Amino acid sequence: MQTNIIHIGLDVDDTNYHGSALDRFSGECLSFKCRPTFKGLLNQLNKLQKQFPDTVIHLCYEASYIGFTLQRDLSQQGYHCDVVAPTSIPSPRGKQIKTDRIDAAQLVQFYANGLLTLVEVPEAEQEQDRDLLRTRKRLVKHQAELRSHLQALLRRHGLHYREQTSYKSHWTKLHYSWLRRTVETATGSLKISLDVLLRQLATTDRTIAEYDQHIETLANSPRYENAVKALVCYKGIKNHYALTLITEIGAIKRFPHPRQLVSWAGMDIREYSSGGKHNRFGITKHGNKFLRTALIEANQRGYRTTRITKDLSARRSHVDPELVSIADRCLRRLHKKGTRLLDAGKHPNKVKVACAREMAGFIWESLNKVAA
C-alpha cells in the first residue's frame, strides 16, 4: 500500500512562519501560521500529523538567512525537509497581490509537482569551513574599499604617491612608510581622517592575515588534504582557491557530468532562439557566485603560457601522477582555447570566462579521481 504524502510549503521570516499543507490525493489544502521558532513550527506539524494519520509529511522552504539550521532540526525530529533554490521558483505572470500566505500556497503547489530545484544540504563542518572562506572574501572586499577611499582622499588634497616618490607599486612597505610620513605632516581634520583610516586598514590587514593562517591549517587537515593536493596542481590555483572550490562544490558525486557542475556555477550560456534564429549571449550567472568567481579569478593569466613555474612544480611534488596529468591536459587545453579566442579578437574577460568553463570540467575529473 502506497503511503500518502502531505506536502508543506513554508514561508519563513522574523515575524511569523506561514505554511500551506497540500494533500494531493484529496486536493485538500490547509494554511497555518505560527511563531518564528522551531517549537512553534513543531507544534503545528504535530497537529497536522494527528489530522492526517497514516501520512508522511514532506516540507520545504526557500534558502534564506536561516540557512540549513531549520532543515537539520526538522530532520532530527524525523521530518523530511528540503531547501529550495529561490531562483527556481516560477513567478506567475500578472501577479498583483503578494502575501506570505499566498507565497506559501504557491510554493507547496510547485513543490508537490516537482517543479523546484532543491539545494544540497552540506555537512555542518563543511558549512562552517565554507563560511570561513566567505568571511575572508568579504574582508578582502572591505580592504579594497578602504584602500580606494584612502587613495581618493589623498588625491583630493593634492597628495600623489607616484609623482612624489617615482615608485609605481602601491601597498608595499615603501608605500606604507610614505603614508605614515604623510599622516605626520598633515594638519587639521585631514590628519585625523588619514590616521583613523590607516589604523583601520592595518587592523583589516592583520585580520585577513589571521584568516589566511587558519585557511593554510585547514588545507593541510586530513579532511581536505588529498583534494587540495589534487587542485593545487592546476596553474592559478593555490590553497585558498582550492578550498573554496572544494567547500562550495561539496560532494562531487552529485554531479554525474561536468556540464551539471558548469550549470550549477551559473556559467551556462544564455540563449534565445526562435523562428530559425539562434542568439547566444553571456553566461546566466544563475548559480553559485563564489564558485564562479573562484574559477574565473584562477584564469586571470594562466592560459597565456604552458610554462611550468618553480612554484607550480613544487606544488606538484608528491602528488599522484594521474592527477598531474589531468592538470597538464587542462593547461594545454586552456592555452589552445585562450590563444585562439584572443587571436579572434575576443575581449580578455570573455576569454577568462571561457577558460573557466573548460577548467570546471577538469576539476570535476580530478575531484572524482580523489573521491574514488
Side-chain angles (χ1 to χ4, degrees), residues 8-13 59-68 70-71 81-90 95 98-100 103-104 106-107 110 116-117 119:
I8 298 178
L10 189 66
D11 186 271
V12 298
D13 58 41
L59 182 142
C60 77
Y61 65 92
E62 293 183 45
S64 62
Y65 66 96
I66 64 173
F68 302 102
L70 182 59
Q71 191 276 341
C81 181
D82 291 313
V83 182
V84 177
T87 54
S88 70
I89 302 175
K95 182 179 178 181
K98 183 184 185 305
T99 65
D100 293 338
D103 288 345
Q106 291 177 345
L107 183 64
F110 298 137
L116 302 175
T117 300
V119 177

PDB file of all heavy atoms in Angstrom, residues 8-13 59-68 70-71 81-90 95 98-100 103-104 106-107 110 116-117 119:
ATOM      1  N   ILE A   8       4.176  20.355   2.321  1.00  0.00           N
ATOM      2  CA  ILE A   8       4.035  21.631   3.037  1.00  0.00           C
ATOM      3  C   ILE A   8       5.031  22.629   2.463  1.00  0.00           C
ATOM      4  O   ILE A   8       6.227  22.339   2.360  1.00  0.00           O
ATOM      5  CB  ILE A   8       4.273  21.469   4.553  1.00  0.00           C
ATOM      6  CG1 ILE A   8       3.242  20.529   5.161  1.00  0.00           C
ATOM      7  CG2 ILE A   8       4.236  22.822   5.258  1.00  0.00           C
ATOM      8  CD1 ILE A   8       3.444  20.276   6.643  1.00  0.00           C
ATOM      9  N   GLY A   9       4.524  23.797   2.106  1.00  0.00           N
ATOM     10  CA  GLY A   9       5.386  24.912   1.710  1.00  0.00           C
ATOM     11  C   GLY A   9       5.435  25.918   2.838  1.00  0.00           C
ATOM     12  O   GLY A   9       4.385  26.317   3.359  1.00  0.00           O
ATOM     13  N   LEU A  10       6.624  26.318   3.239  1.00  0.00           N
ATOM     14  CA  LEU A  10       6.789  27.181   4.399  1.00  0.00           C
ATOM     15  C   LEU A  10       7.461  28.483   3.986  1.00  0.00           C
ATOM     16  O   LEU A  10       8.518  28.478   3.346  1.00  0.00           O
ATOM     17  CB  LEU A  10       7.630  26.468   5.460  1.00  0.00           C
ATOM     18  CG  LEU A  10       7.731  27.121   6.839  1.00  0.00           C
ATOM     19  CD1 LEU A  10       6.383  27.111   7.527  1.00  0.00           C
ATOM     20  CD2 LEU A  10       8.767  26.400   7.691  1.00  0.00           C
ATOM     21  N   ASP A  11       6.842  29.593   4.341  1.00  0.00           N
ATOM     22  CA  ASP A  11       7.431  30.913   4.125  1.00  0.00           C
ATOM     23  C   ASP A  11       7.941  31.412   5.475  1.00  0.00           C
ATOM     24  O   ASP A  11       7.159  31.604   6.417  1.00  0.00           O
ATOM     25  CB  ASP A  11       6.380  31.877   3.558  1.00  0.00           C
ATOM     26  CG  ASP A  11       6.981  33.218   3.176  1.00  0.00           C
ATOM     27  OD1 ASP A  11       7.026  34.113   4.049  1.00  0.00           O
ATOM     28  OD2 ASP A  11       7.397  33.369   2.026  1.00  0.00           O
ATOM     29  N   VAL A  12       9.247  31.607   5.581  1.00  0.00           N
ATOM     30  CA  VAL A  12       9.859  31.943   6.869  1.00  0.00           C
ATOM     31  C   VAL A  12      10.293  33.401   6.886  1.00  0.00           C
ATOM     32  O   VAL A  12      10.777  33.937   5.891  1.00  0.00           O
ATOM     33  CB  VAL A  12      11.074  31.031   7.161  1.00  0.00           C
ATOM     34  CG1 VAL A  12      10.653  29.582   7.250  1.00  0.00           C
ATOM     35  CG2 VAL A  12      12.143  31.178   6.091  1.00  0.00           C
ATOM     36  N   ASP A  13      10.088  34.062   8.012  1.00  0.00           N
ATOM     37  CA  ASP A  13      10.619  35.397   8.258  1.00  0.00           C
ATOM     38  C   ASP A  13      10.708  35.616   9.765  1.00  0.00           C
ATOM     39  O   ASP A  13      10.395  34.719  10.552  1.00  0.00           O
ATOM     40  CB  ASP A  13       9.772  36.484   7.581  1.00  0.00           C
ATOM     41  CG  ASP A  13       8.320  36.471   8.017  1.00  0.00           C
ATOM     42  OD1 ASP A  13       8.061  36.277   9.219  1.00  0.00           O
ATOM     43  OD2 ASP A  13       7.431  36.651   7.165  1.00  0.00           O
ATOM     44  N   LEU A  59       8.274  18.647   3.766  1.00  0.00           N
ATOM     45  CA  LEU A  59       8.227  20.093   3.943  1.00  0.00           C
ATOM     46  C   LEU A  59       9.378  20.750   3.193  1.00  0.00           C
ATOM     47  O   LEU A  59      10.457  20.171   3.043  1.00  0.00           O
ATOM     48  CB  LEU A  59       8.298  20.416   5.436  1.00  0.00           C
ATOM     49  CG  LEU A  59       8.221  21.868   5.879  1.00  0.00           C
ATOM     50  CD1 LEU A  59       7.413  21.994   7.166  1.00  0.00           C
ATOM     51  CD2 LEU A  59       9.615  22.436   6.100  1.00  0.00           C
ATOM     52  N   CYS A  60       9.147  21.980   2.720  1.00  0.00           N
ATOM     53  CA  CYS A  60      10.211  22.716   2.049  1.00  0.00           C
ATOM     54  C   CYS A  60      10.115  24.192   2.402  1.00  0.00           C
ATOM     55  O   CYS A  60       9.049  24.697   2.764  1.00  0.00           O
ATOM     56  CB  CYS A  60      10.136  22.535   0.525  1.00  0.00           C
ATOM     57  SG  CYS A  60       8.855  23.503  -0.286  1.00  0.00           S
ATOM     58  N   TYR A  61      11.241  24.879   2.316  1.00  0.00           N
ATOM     59  CA  TYR A  61      11.276  26.331   2.481  1.00  0.00           C
ATOM     60  C   TYR A  61      12.402  26.882   1.622  1.00  0.00           C
ATOM     61  O   TYR A  61      13.321  26.156   1.232  1.00  0.00           O
ATOM     62  CB  TYR A  61      11.455  26.736   3.948  1.00  0.00           C
ATOM     63  CG  TYR A  61      12.770  26.343   4.575  1.00  0.00           C
ATOM     64  CD1 TYR A  61      13.864  27.210   4.570  1.00  0.00           C
ATOM     65  CD2 TYR A  61      12.942  25.102   5.194  1.00  0.00           C
ATOM     66  CE1 TYR A  61      15.072  26.864   5.151  1.00  0.00           C
ATOM     67  CE2 TYR A  61      14.141  24.746   5.781  1.00  0.00           C
ATOM     68  CZ  TYR A  61      15.201  25.628   5.754  1.00  0.00           C
ATOM     69  OH  TYR A  61      16.394  25.276   6.321  1.00  0.00           O
ATOM     70  N   GLU A  62      12.329  28.177   1.321  1.00  0.00           N
ATOM     71  CA  GLU A  62      13.343  28.813   0.482  1.00  0.00           C
ATOM     72  C   GLU A  62      14.651  28.985   1.249  1.00  0.00           C
ATOM     73  O   GLU A  62      14.646  29.256   2.452  1.00  0.00           O
ATOM     74  CB  GLU A  62      12.870  30.193   0.012  1.00  0.00           C
ATOM     75  CG  GLU A  62      11.708  30.189  -0.932  1.00  0.00           C
ATOM     76  CD  GLU A  62      11.356  31.593  -1.385  1.00  0.00           C
ATOM     77  OE1 GLU A  62      12.295  32.353  -1.731  1.00  0.00           O
ATOM     78  OE2 GLU A  62      10.171  31.941  -1.371  1.00  0.00           O
ATOM     79  N   ALA A  63      15.762  28.825   0.533  1.00  0.00           N
ATOM     80  CA  ALA A  63      17.059  29.135   1.125  1.00  0.00           C
ATOM     81  C   ALA A  63      17.104  30.621   1.452  1.00  0.00           C
ATOM     82  O   ALA A  63      16.835  31.466   0.604  1.00  0.00           O
ATOM     83  CB  ALA A  63      18.181  28.774   0.150  1.00  0.00           C
ATOM     84  N   SER A  64      17.407  30.931   2.710  1.00  0.00           N
ATOM     85  CA  SER A  64      17.375  32.321   3.153  1.00  0.00           C
ATOM     86  C   SER A  64      18.404  32.520   4.252  1.00  0.00           C
ATOM     87  O   SER A  64      19.340  31.735   4.403  1.00  0.00           O
ATOM     88  CB  SER A  64      15.972  32.684   3.638  1.00  0.00           C
ATOM     89  OG  SER A  64      15.610  31.881   4.756  1.00  0.00           O
ATOM     90  N   TYR A  65      18.194  33.557   5.055  1.00  0.00           N
ATOM     91  CA  TYR A  65      19.154  33.909   6.096  1.00  0.00           C
ATOM     92  C   TYR A  65      19.267  32.845   7.185  1.00  0.00           C
ATOM     93  O   TYR A  65      20.275  32.796   7.892  1.00  0.00           O
ATOM     94  CB  TYR A  65      18.754  35.240   6.742  1.00  0.00           C
ATOM     95  CG  TYR A  65      17.451  35.178   7.501  1.00  0.00           C
ATOM     96  CD1 TYR A  65      17.442  34.965   8.873  1.00  0.00           C
ATOM     97  CD2 TYR A  65      16.232  35.312   6.845  1.00  0.00           C
ATOM     98  CE1 TYR A  65      16.256  34.894   9.571  1.00  0.00           C
ATOM     99  CE2 TYR A  65      15.045  35.239   7.538  1.00  0.00           C
ATOM    100  CZ  TYR A  65      15.056  35.027   8.896  1.00  0.00           C
ATOM    101  OH  TYR A  65      13.872  34.943   9.585  1.00  0.00           O
ATOM    102  N   ILE A  66      18.252  31.995   7.343  1.00  0.00           N
ATOM    103  CA  ILE A  66      18.308  30.986   8.407  1.00  0.00           C
ATOM    104  C   ILE A  66      19.178  29.799   8.016  1.00  0.00           C
ATOM    105  O   ILE A  66      19.453  28.932   8.840  1.00  0.00           O
ATOM    106  CB  ILE A  66      16.908  30.493   8.801  1.00  0.00           C
ATOM    107  CG1 ILE A  66      16.230  29.776   7.634  1.00  0.00           C
ATOM    108  CG2 ILE A  66      16.045  31.624   9.287  1.00  0.00           C
ATOM    109  CD1 ILE A  66      14.932  29.122   8.017  1.00  0.00           C
ATOM    110  N   GLY A  67      19.590  29.753   6.755  1.00  0.00           N
ATOM    111  CA  GLY A  67      20.487  28.688   6.320  1.00  0.00           C
ATOM    112  C   GLY A  67      19.835  27.318   6.401  1.00  0.00           C
ATOM    113  O   GLY A  67      18.669  27.140   6.031  1.00  0.00           O
ATOM    114  N   PHE A  68      20.603  26.349   6.917  1.00  0.00           N
ATOM    115  CA  PHE A  68      20.129  24.972   6.979  1.00  0.00           C
ATOM    116  C   PHE A  68      19.807  24.535   8.404  1.00  0.00           C
ATOM    117  O   PHE A  68      19.599  23.342   8.650  1.00  0.00           O
ATOM    118  CB  PHE A  68      21.191  24.034   6.389  1.00  0.00           C
ATOM    119  CG  PHE A  68      21.553  24.364   4.964  1.00  0.00           C
ATOM    120  CD1 PHE A  68      22.722  25.049   4.678  1.00  0.00           C
ATOM    121  CD2 PHE A  68      20.733  24.009   3.916  1.00  0.00           C
ATOM    122  CE1 PHE A  68      23.070  25.367   3.377  1.00  0.00           C
ATOM    123  CE2 PHE A  68      21.064  24.308   2.603  1.00  0.00           C
ATOM    124  CZ  PHE A  68      22.230  24.990   2.336  1.00  0.00           C
ATOM    125  N   LEU A  70      17.126  25.112  10.270  1.00  0.00           N
ATOM    126  CA  LEU A  70      15.756  24.600  10.382  1.00  0.00           C
ATOM    127  C   LEU A  70      15.653  23.213   9.759  1.00  0.00           C
ATOM    128  O   LEU A  70      14.983  22.329  10.310  1.00  0.00           O
ATOM    129  CB  LEU A  70      14.786  25.565   9.704  1.00  0.00           C
ATOM    130  CG  LEU A  70      13.300  25.198   9.780  1.00  0.00           C
ATOM    131  CD1 LEU A  70      12.840  25.090  11.229  1.00  0.00           C
ATOM    132  CD2 LEU A  70      12.454  26.236   9.031  1.00  0.00           C
ATOM    133  N   GLN A  71      16.313  23.006   8.636  1.00  0.00           N
ATOM    134  CA  GLN A  71      16.276  21.696   7.982  1.00  0.00           C
ATOM    135  C   GLN A  71      16.901  20.628   8.871  1.00  0.00           C
ATOM    136  O   GLN A  71      16.362  19.516   8.999  1.00  0.00           O
ATOM    137  CB  GLN A  71      17.016  21.781   6.642  1.00  0.00           C
ATOM    138  CG  GLN A  71      16.846  20.566   5.737  1.00  0.00           C
ATOM    139  CD  GLN A  71      17.808  19.443   6.059  1.00  0.00           C
ATOM    140  OE1 GLN A  71      18.835  19.650   6.710  1.00  0.00           O
ATOM    141  NE2 GLN A  71      17.473  18.240   5.630  1.00  0.00           N
ATOM    142  N   CYS A  81      12.591  17.289   5.134  1.00  0.00           N
ATOM    143  CA  CYS A  81      12.601  18.719   4.847  1.00  0.00           C
ATOM    144  C   CYS A  81      13.602  19.009   3.737  1.00  0.00           C
ATOM    145  O   CYS A  81      14.726  18.503   3.760  1.00  0.00           O
ATOM    146  CB  CYS A  81      12.961  19.530   6.097  1.00  0.00           C
ATOM    147  SG  CYS A  81      12.983  21.319   5.834  1.00  0.00           S
ATOM    148  N   ASP A  82      13.180  19.786   2.753  1.00  0.00           N
ATOM    149  CA  ASP A  82      14.031  20.188   1.642  1.00  0.00           C
ATOM    150  C   ASP A  82      14.201  21.703   1.653  1.00  0.00           C
ATOM    151  O   ASP A  82      13.300  22.438   2.068  1.00  0.00           O
ATOM    152  CB  ASP A  82      13.424  19.764   0.303  1.00  0.00           C
ATOM    153  CG  ASP A  82      13.430  18.254   0.122  1.00  0.00           C
ATOM    154  OD1 ASP A  82      14.472  17.632   0.386  1.00  0.00           O
ATOM    155  OD2 ASP A  82      12.386  17.694  -0.285  1.00  0.00           O
ATOM    156  N   VAL A  83      15.351  22.146   1.161  1.00  0.00           N
ATOM    157  CA  VAL A  83      15.616  23.578   0.998  1.00  0.00           C
ATOM    158  C   VAL A  83      15.593  23.880  -0.491  1.00  0.00           C
ATOM    159  O   VAL A  83      16.244  23.200  -1.284  1.00  0.00           O
ATOM    160  CB  VAL A  83      16.971  23.973   1.610  1.00  0.00           C
ATOM    161  CG1 VAL A  83      17.204  25.469   1.475  1.00  0.00           C
ATOM    162  CG2 VAL A  83      17.028  23.554   3.073  1.00  0.00           C
ATOM    163  N   VAL A  84      14.836  24.891  -0.876  1.00  0.00           N
ATOM    164  CA  VAL A  84      14.575  25.188  -2.281  1.00  0.00           C
ATOM    165  C   VAL A  84      15.406  26.383  -2.725  1.00  0.00           C
ATOM    166  O   VAL A  84      15.528  27.371  -1.990  1.00  0.00           O
ATOM    167  CB  VAL A  84      13.075  25.468  -2.500  1.00  0.00           C
ATOM    168  CG1 VAL A  84      12.798  25.862  -3.942  1.00  0.00           C
ATOM    169  CG2 VAL A  84      12.243  24.259  -2.104  1.00  0.00           C
ATOM    170  N   ALA A  85      15.958  26.296  -3.927  1.00  0.00           N
ATOM    171  CA  ALA A  85      16.673  27.429  -4.516  1.00  0.00           C
ATOM    172  C   ALA A  85      15.671  28.511  -4.915  1.00  0.00           C
ATOM    173  O   ALA A  85      14.750  28.243  -5.690  1.00  0.00           O
ATOM    174  CB  ALA A  85      17.464  26.974  -5.734  1.00  0.00           C
ATOM    175  N   PRO A  86      15.789  29.722  -4.387  1.00  0.00           N
ATOM    176  CA  PRO A  86      14.800  30.778  -4.694  1.00  0.00           C
ATOM    177  C   PRO A  86      14.674  31.082  -6.183  1.00  0.00           C
ATOM    178  O   PRO A  86      13.588  31.393  -6.665  1.00  0.00           O
ATOM    179  CB  PRO A  86      15.324  31.994  -3.923  1.00  0.00           C
ATOM    180  CG  PRO A  86      16.178  31.425  -2.845  1.00  0.00           C
ATOM    181  CD  PRO A  86      16.793  30.184  -3.418  1.00  0.00           C
ATOM    182  N   THR A  87      15.789  30.977  -6.923  1.00  0.00           N
ATOM    183  CA  THR A  87      15.738  31.302  -8.349  1.00  0.00           C
ATOM    184  C   THR A  87      14.962  30.278  -9.157  1.00  0.00           C
ATOM    185  O   THR A  87      14.615  30.536 -10.317  1.00  0.00           O
ATOM    186  CB  THR A  87      17.163  31.405  -8.919  1.00  0.00           C
ATOM    187  OG1 THR A  87      17.883  30.195  -8.622  1.00  0.00           O
ATOM    188  CG2 THR A  87      17.904  32.584  -8.307  1.00  0.00           C
ATOM    189  N   SER A  88      14.677  29.094  -8.569  1.00  0.00           N
ATOM    190  CA  SER A  88      13.951  28.059  -9.310  1.00  0.00           C
ATOM    191  C   SER A  88      12.445  28.165  -9.141  1.00  0.00           C
ATOM    192  O   SER A  88      11.704  27.411  -9.773  1.00  0.00           O
ATOM    193  CB  SER A  88      14.411  26.668  -8.843  1.00  0.00           C
ATOM    194  OG  SER A  88      13.964  26.407  -7.521  1.00  0.00           O
ATOM    195  N   ILE A  89      11.981  29.084  -8.293  1.00  0.00           N
ATOM    196  CA  ILE A  89      10.544  29.204  -8.040  1.00  0.00           C
ATOM    197  C   ILE A  89       9.913  30.022  -9.168  1.00  0.00           C
ATOM    198  O   ILE A  89      10.279  31.186  -9.373  1.00  0.00           O
ATOM    199  CB  ILE A  89      10.284  29.873  -6.681  1.00  0.00           C
ATOM    200  CG1 ILE A  89      10.944  29.058  -5.557  1.00  0.00           C
ATOM    201  CG2 ILE A  89       8.793  30.015  -6.426  1.00  0.00           C
ATOM    202  CD1 ILE A  89      10.849  29.702  -4.203  1.00  0.00           C
ATOM    203  N   PRO A  90       8.970  29.452  -9.918  1.00  0.00           N
ATOM    204  CA  PRO A  90       8.329  30.205 -11.004  1.00  0.00           C
ATOM    205  C   PRO A  90       7.563  31.406 -10.466  1.00  0.00           C
ATOM    206  O   PRO A  90       7.018  31.379  -9.362  1.00  0.00           O
ATOM    207  CB  PRO A  90       7.372  29.178 -11.639  1.00  0.00           C
ATOM    208  CG  PRO A  90       7.881  27.842 -11.195  1.00  0.00           C
ATOM    209  CD  PRO A  90       8.476  28.060  -9.846  1.00  0.00           C
ATOM    210  N   LYS A  95       0.824  38.769 -11.690  1.00  0.00           N
ATOM    211  CA  LYS A  95       0.636  38.679 -10.242  1.00  0.00           C
ATOM    212  C   LYS A  95       0.565  40.087  -9.642  1.00  0.00           C
ATOM    213  O   LYS A  95       1.493  40.871  -9.774  1.00  0.00           O
ATOM    214  CB  LYS A  95       1.799  37.894  -9.637  1.00  0.00           C
ATOM    215  CG  LYS A  95       1.700  37.675  -8.146  1.00  0.00           C
ATOM    216  CD  LYS A  95       2.886  36.861  -7.667  1.00  0.00           C
ATOM    217  CE  LYS A  95       2.871  36.653  -6.174  1.00  0.00           C
ATOM    218  NZ  LYS A  95       4.053  35.876  -5.722  1.00  0.00           N
ATOM    219  N   LYS A  98       0.755  40.012  -3.353  1.00  0.00           N
ATOM    220  CA  LYS A  98       1.799  39.165  -2.775  1.00  0.00           C
ATOM    221  C   LYS A  98       1.703  39.226  -1.261  1.00  0.00           C
ATOM    222  O   LYS A  98       1.846  40.290  -0.662  1.00  0.00           O
ATOM    223  CB  LYS A  98       3.185  39.624  -3.228  1.00  0.00           C
ATOM    224  CG  LYS A  98       4.327  38.729  -2.716  1.00  0.00           C
ATOM    225  CD  LYS A  98       5.668  39.289  -3.114  1.00  0.00           C
ATOM    226  CE  LYS A  98       6.811  38.353  -2.724  1.00  0.00           C
ATOM    227  NZ  LYS A  98       6.812  38.013  -1.273  1.00  0.00           N
ATOM    228  N   THR A  99       1.433  38.093  -0.660  1.00  0.00           N
ATOM    229  CA  THR A  99       1.431  37.965   0.798  1.00  0.00           C
ATOM    230  C   THR A  99       2.183  36.704   1.168  1.00  0.00           C
ATOM    231  O   THR A  99       2.411  35.822   0.322  1.00  0.00           O
ATOM    232  CB  THR A  99      -0.002  37.909   1.365  1.00  0.00           C
ATOM    233  OG1 THR A  99      -0.638  36.716   0.889  1.00  0.00           O
ATOM    234  CG2 THR A  99      -0.816  39.130   0.935  1.00  0.00           C
ATOM    235  N   ASP A 100       2.565  36.593   2.435  1.00  0.00           N
ATOM    236  CA  ASP A 100       3.264  35.393   2.887  1.00  0.00           C
ATOM    237  C   ASP A 100       2.386  34.156   2.743  1.00  0.00           C
ATOM    238  O   ASP A 100       2.876  33.069   2.400  1.00  0.00           O
ATOM    239  CB  ASP A 100       3.686  35.567   4.351  1.00  0.00           C
ATOM    240  CG  ASP A 100       4.745  36.645   4.514  1.00  0.00           C
ATOM    241  OD1 ASP A 100       5.435  36.947   3.521  1.00  0.00           O
ATOM    242  OD2 ASP A 100       4.877  37.184   5.627  1.00  0.00           O
ATOM    243  N   ASP A 103       2.340  33.197  -0.936  1.00  0.00           N
ATOM    244  CA  ASP A 103       3.640  32.635  -1.306  1.00  0.00           C
ATOM    245  C   ASP A 103       3.774  31.192  -0.845  1.00  0.00           C
ATOM    246  O   ASP A 103       4.293  30.338  -1.576  1.00  0.00           O
ATOM    247  CB  ASP A 103       4.761  33.478  -0.707  1.00  0.00           C
ATOM    248  CG  ASP A 103       4.909  34.830  -1.402  1.00  0.00           C
ATOM    249  OD1 ASP A 103       4.348  34.988  -2.500  1.00  0.00           O
ATOM    250  OD2 ASP A 103       5.568  35.724  -0.825  1.00  0.00           O
ATOM    251  N   ALA A 104       3.302  30.906   0.364  1.00  0.00           N
ATOM    252  CA  ALA A 104       3.370  29.536   0.881  1.00  0.00           C
ATOM    253  C   ALA A 104       2.479  28.604   0.071  1.00  0.00           C
ATOM    254  O   ALA A 104       2.854  27.455  -0.223  1.00  0.00           O
ATOM    255  CB  ALA A 104       2.971  29.515   2.351  1.00  0.00           C
ATOM    256  N   GLN A 106       1.579  28.950  -3.112  1.00  0.00           N
ATOM    257  CA  GLN A 106       2.187  28.716  -4.413  1.00  0.00           C
ATOM    258  C   GLN A 106       3.402  27.804  -4.295  1.00  0.00           C
ATOM    259  O   GLN A 106       3.626  26.933  -5.149  1.00  0.00           O
ATOM    260  CB  GLN A 106       2.602  30.056  -5.033  1.00  0.00           C
ATOM    261  CG  GLN A 106       1.422  30.930  -5.447  1.00  0.00           C
ATOM    262  CD  GLN A 106       1.865  32.263  -5.994  1.00  0.00           C
ATOM    263  OE1 GLN A 106       3.021  32.657  -5.822  1.00  0.00           O
ATOM    264  NE2 GLN A 106       0.957  32.982  -6.640  1.00  0.00           N
ATOM    265  N   LEU A 107       4.170  27.975  -3.226  1.00  0.00           N
ATOM    266  CA  LEU A 107       5.361  27.156  -3.029  1.00  0.00           C
ATOM    267  C   LEU A 107       4.999  25.688  -2.905  1.00  0.00           C
ATOM    268  O   LEU A 107       5.662  24.819  -3.500  1.00  0.00           O
ATOM    269  CB  LEU A 107       6.118  27.629  -1.780  1.00  0.00           C
ATOM    270  CG  LEU A 107       7.434  26.915  -1.459  1.00  0.00           C
ATOM    271  CD1 LEU A 107       8.450  27.154  -2.571  1.00  0.00           C
ATOM    272  CD2 LEU A 107       7.987  27.399  -0.125  1.00  0.00           C
ATOM    273  N   PHE A 110       4.104  24.081  -6.359  1.00  0.00           N
ATOM    274  CA  PHE A 110       5.289  23.773  -7.160  1.00  0.00           C
ATOM    275  C   PHE A 110       6.063  22.604  -6.563  1.00  0.00           C
ATOM    276  O   PHE A 110       6.581  21.747  -7.294  1.00  0.00           O
ATOM    277  CB  PHE A 110       6.196  25.007  -7.249  1.00  0.00           C
ATOM    278  CG  PHE A 110       5.563  26.187  -7.933  1.00  0.00           C
ATOM    279  CD1 PHE A 110       5.718  27.468  -7.420  1.00  0.00           C
ATOM    280  CD2 PHE A 110       4.814  26.025  -9.081  1.00  0.00           C
ATOM    281  CE1 PHE A 110       5.138  28.553  -8.056  1.00  0.00           C
ATOM    282  CE2 PHE A 110       4.229  27.102  -9.715  1.00  0.00           C
ATOM    283  CZ  PHE A 110       4.391  28.374  -9.201  1.00  0.00           C
ATOM    284  N   LEU A 116      10.550  22.362  -8.541  1.00  0.00           N
ATOM    285  CA  LEU A 116      11.551  23.183  -7.875  1.00  0.00           C
ATOM    286  C   LEU A 116      12.909  22.500  -7.870  1.00  0.00           C
ATOM    287  O   LEU A 116      13.006  21.267  -7.911  1.00  0.00           O
ATOM    288  CB  LEU A 116      11.120  23.476  -6.437  1.00  0.00           C
ATOM    289  CG  LEU A 116       9.778  24.189  -6.264  1.00  0.00           C
ATOM    290  CD1 LEU A 116       9.425  24.293  -4.794  1.00  0.00           C
ATOM    291  CD2 LEU A 116       9.809  25.559  -6.907  1.00  0.00           C
ATOM    292  N   THR A 117      13.953  23.303  -7.799  1.00  0.00           N
ATOM    293  CA  THR A 117      15.318  22.798  -7.673  1.00  0.00           C
ATOM    294  C   THR A 117      15.707  22.811  -6.201  1.00  0.00           C
ATOM    295  O   THR A 117      15.612  23.844  -5.541  1.00  0.00           O
ATOM    296  CB  THR A 117      16.305  23.657  -8.481  1.00  0.00           C
ATOM    297  OG1 THR A 117      15.919  23.634  -9.860  1.00  0.00           O
ATOM    298  CG2 THR A 117      17.716  23.120  -8.349  1.00  0.00           C
ATOM    299  N   VAL A 119      18.245  22.468  -2.949  1.00  0.00           N
ATOM    300  CA  VAL A 119      19.618  22.804  -2.589  1.00  0.00           C
ATOM    301  C   VAL A 119      20.223  21.636  -1.820  1.00  0.00           C
ATOM    302  O   VAL A 119      19.591  21.069  -0.918  1.00  0.00           O
ATOM    303  CB  VAL A 119      19.652  24.091  -1.728  1.00  0.00           C
ATOM    304  CG1 VAL A 119      21.078  24.395  -1.288  1.00  0.00           C
ATOM    305  CG2 VAL A 119      19.064  25.257  -2.500  1.00  0.00           C
TER     306      VAL A 119
END
